[in-house]
Amino acid sequence: MSKTPKLQAMLGAKCPRCRRGNMFEGGAYRLGANRINIHCPGCGMLFEIEPGYFYAAMYVSYAFNVAEGVGICLLTWLVTGNTDSPWLYLGTILIGLVLLSPLNFRYSRVILLYWLSPKVHYRPELDKPPIPKHD
């Protein structure tokens, strides 16, 4: 039985317990599809462990936004060399952060469940490929 690597499961937004089921209904940039599933389709894990659990993901998202804002600012300076216009930096940072917000939403929850939740553990016995259905 092969184990799914943790990084691969995190990047694919898979369940932290079985690393097979999708945490989200659709793609990050599909309209209306960036919703978290209530239960894992693979192992049945309840993703929102307790009411209001994902409020803590706001802190992870805030850290993402700060790091991305600094990165966008540095990239803007490297590309343009402009140090005079605060509007250039403000505009690029705001546009960049708006474009990255669906990924921040998704991966702040993934990181919360994978790294910051002491109750959630990987169970390799659940890491099995789905059984094909025959008609």
Side-chain angles (χ1 to χ4, degrees), residues 54-133:
F54 286 118
Y55 284 125
M58 289 187 303
Y59 298 109
V60 177
S61 182
Y62 177 75
F64 280 167
N65 277 305
V66 169
E68 291 162 355
V70 169
I72 291 169
C73 184
L74 289 173
L75 185 63
T76 301
W77 177 73
L78 287 172
V79 170
T80 65
N82 185 335
T83 58
D84 298 332
S85 174
W87 297 110
L88 172 68
Y89 290 96
L90 185 64
T92 56
I93 290 171
L94 288 176
I95 290 170
L97 293 181
V98 166
L99 291 175
L100 291 171
S101 65
L103 294 176
N104 288 344
F105 173 80
R106 180 174 285 235
Y107 288 106
S108 64
R109 290 170 183 239
V110 169
I111 286 178
L112 180 67
L113 281 172
Y114 270 88
W115 286 343
L116 303 175
S117 297
K119 296 178 184 179
V120 179
H121 301 286
Y122 172 59
R123 293 183 42 199
E125 68 273 8
L126 298 174
D127 192 356
K128 299 177 190 169
I131 300 170
K133 295 179 182 177

Side-chain angles (χ1 to χ4, degrees), residues 33-66:
N34 204 11
R35 283 182 291 203
I36 193 161
N37 289 321
I38 295 171
H39 295 279
C40 172
C43 68
M45 175 186 165
L46 179 65
F47 289 125
E48 189 169 8
I49 297 169
E50 55 194 38
Y53 180 74
F54 286 118
Y55 284 125
M58 289 187 303
Y59 298 109
V60 177
S61 182
Y62 177 75
F64 280 167
N65 277 305
V66 169

